[in-house]
Amino acid sequence: MKVYDIFLDRLPNIDLHGFDRESARVMTNDFIEEAFSLGYEKIVIIHGIGTGIVRDAVHQALAKNKKVKNYKMDVQNIGCTVVKINLEGNN
């Protein structure tokens, strides 16, 4: 049995609706940096569904960012991605 994050609205999040590909990438990386510095273990990036351009930009940024432990689209809402931050070394 899988356990889902049913309280996603309580996690730090950023909404990228209306952003273009490059702005979404920059905002994703900035949000990860902020989450890392504040010690957040899990965050949510809301990219919407649309044509997938923003989602793809977000996922490419997440795949390249060394502070990201892992990420996955939310099972209940494919318009957002849940990100686990690698806090090791954050002393």
Side-chain angles (χ1 to χ4, degrees):
M1 178 175 161
K2 286 192 170 196
V3 177
Y4 300 107
D5 293 311
I6 59 172
F7 298 111
L8 289 181
D9 59 334
R10 294 185 183 191
L11 294 175
N13 65 74
I14 187 170
D15 189 341
L16 300 178
H17 280 100
F19 281 70
D20 62 33
R21 179 186 339 246
E22 184 60 20
S23 297
R25 184 191 63 76
V26 170
M27 291 298 293
T28 296
N29 284 322
D30 288 350
F31 188 52
I32 291 167
E33 287 298 321
E34 183 177 342
F36 179 83
S37 68
L38 293 171
Y40 294 137
E41 183 179 358
K42 195 181 283 187
I43 60 173
V44 177
I45 300 177
I46 303 165
H47 44 67
I49 299 170
T51 61
I53 291 172
V54 173
R55 179 198 62 227
D56 292 345
V58 166
H59 287 187
Q60 288 171 6
L62 294 173
K64 293 178 182 176
N65 194 311
K66 294 181 181 181
K67 291 183 176 153
V68 173
K69 187 181 285 187
N70 61 52
Y71 62 94
K72 64 180 173 141
M73 286 184 14
D74 181 49
V75 176
Q76 301 296 318
N77 179 0
I78 61 170
C80 64
T81 298
V82 180
V83 181
K84 286 190 180 176
I85 305 295
N86 183 4
L87 295 177
E88 293 177 17
N90 186 19
N91 296 326

